[in-house]
Amino acid sequence: MRKPIIAGNWKMFKLVGDSVAMITALKPLVANASQVEIVIAPPYPSIKTVADRAEGSNIQFAAQDISTEIKHGAHTGEVCGDMLKDVGCTHVIIGHSERRSMYGDTSQVVNRKMRAALNFGLAPIVCVGETLEERDAGREQDVVGNQLDESLSGLTREEMLRSIVAYEPVWAIGTGRTATPAQAQEMHRFIRQWLSARFDNQIADATRILYGGSVKPDNVSDLMSEPDIDGALVGGASLEAESFAKLVNYNR
Ligand code: PEP
């Protein structure tokens, strides 16, 4: 019912030439993957080139961030939603923990970015997740619940139906320390219950909730076998065509 999504976040890696080489290698490796949606988030300078190279393939593209602004104007350094669509994006990652912790993206800012993305018809992938300190204090559900309350504030049902949630425990991102399938499932169930309470069961059932945090070819199948895990948001293992293709073609 919920089509899985395997999304790769290239972060601030790869020059344009490296991006093209990766997409060229990836295309044939995932050409038969019809049971999952494939999304790649290159750095801004590569998006147009790789999206053009991937035209006609089953690979979709995301930006790693979006401006809160929706009108063109004097906003040095910002990139707004229609510019992202113009270069081939269909999705955008919003509120990644690196943006929350290093670039001041509070949940209020994340909420404005969600509205900006939805305004332009981009599918937002909104990231939430607790730090290790918060988990050790037993506060993971409080923290994620608050992030959801604030980040998704004011969204309509129709807007939620166009949105994707990524649960990314901060302690598992880029650390090689993955949440166990049971730990991830517990939080995904919590998020689905939150969606049911804030919206309704139909929205809760329809929303894809991705797991992110050191997903690799050898742990993806176990994670994906959990009932509330609908895909993966992947950093490190998305940088090489072979490993990302293994994630896309995981054993069901
Ligand atoms: C991420 O960047 O969202 C991520 C989960 O990274 P990694 O897979 O490297 O942990």
Side-chain angles (χ1 to χ4, degrees):
M1 188 186 55
R2 295 186 295 266
K3 189 168 185 179
I5 300 175
I6 302 292
N9 173 14
W10 288 357
K11 309 192 184 192
M12 201 174 76
F13 291 103
K14 296 190 187 295
L15 301 179
V16 176
D18 305 319
S19 304
V20 169
M22 158 71 180
I23 285 293
T24 306
L26 181 67
K27 266 199 316 185
L29 300 178
V30 299
N32 296 324
S34 55
Q35 286 135 326
V36 296
E37 284 183 31
I38 305 166
V39 179
I40 296 211
Y44 288 129
S46 296
I47 297 174
K48 168 97 179 112
T49 313
V50 290
D52 285 350
R53 294 292 177 108
E55 212 178 324
S57 77
N58 53 352
I59 304 172
Q60 304 177 84
F61 291 93
Q64 298 174 17
D65 192 21
I66 184 173
S67 177
T68 55
E69 302 300 328
I70 56 171
K71 283 201 185 139
H72 295 181
H75 300 291
T76 302
E78 292 290 289
V79 180
C80 69
D82 58 346
M83 296 174 178
L84 299 177
K85 284 184 82 173
D86 194 38
V87 294
C89 290
T90 49
H91 294 66
V92 56
I93 299 170
I94 299 180
H96 189 281
S97 69
E98 287 152 18
R99 296 222 51 91
R100 287 180 185 265
S101 65
M102 292 190 263
Y103 301 102
D105 283 14
T106 61
S107 287
Q108 286 76 17
V109 171
V110 170
N111 183 246
R112 290 177 63 201
K113 291 184 174 183
M114 289 290 292
R115 289 160 186 269
L118 290 160
N119 175 75
F120 287 108
L122 288 159
I125 303 174
V126 59
C127 303
V128 293
E130 80 285 357
T131 62
L132 186 56
E133 204 181 14
E134 290 161 342
R135 174 162 281 263
D136 285 345
R139 295 184 48 231
E140 62 272 20
Q141 296 194 351
D142 284 350
V143 169
V144 168
N146 286 338
Q147 287 174 338
L148 291 168
D149 285 341
E150 292 172 3
S151 304
L152 305 183
S153 171
L155 256 66
T156 63
R157 291 183 82 251
E158 184 271 330
E159 288 172 329
M160 193 63 229
L161 280 174
R162 294 193 277 131
S163 304
I164 297 155
V165 178
Y167 169 61
E168 298 209 300
V170 177
W171 47 272
I173 297 178
T175 59
R177 182 179 163 187
T178 324
T180 64
Q183 283 174 320
Q185 166 58 23
E186 188 181 25
M187 290 304 289
H188 282 230
R189 171 146 307 160
F190 168 76
I191 292 168
R192 211 173 294 289
Q193 283 164 351
W194 184 94
L195 288 166
S196 175
R198 160 74 169 79
F199 296 94
D200 53 47
N201 282 344
Q202 194 194 348
I203 299 284
D205 286 345
T207 303
R208 267 95 52 97
I209 306 173
L210 315 185
Y211 168 77
S214 299
V215 177
K216 307 277 181 238
D218 62 5
N219 60 26
V220 66
S221 294
D222 284 349
L223 287 160
M224 290 301 294
S225 67
E226 295 293 340
D228 289 298
I229 300 184
D230 307 313
L233 179 54
V234 186
S238 74
L239 293 172
E240 298 292 333
E242 287 73 19
S243 61
F244 189 65
K246 283 185 189 158
L247 297 178
V248 169
N249 298 317
Y250 69 92
N251 283 329
R252 282 166 195 86

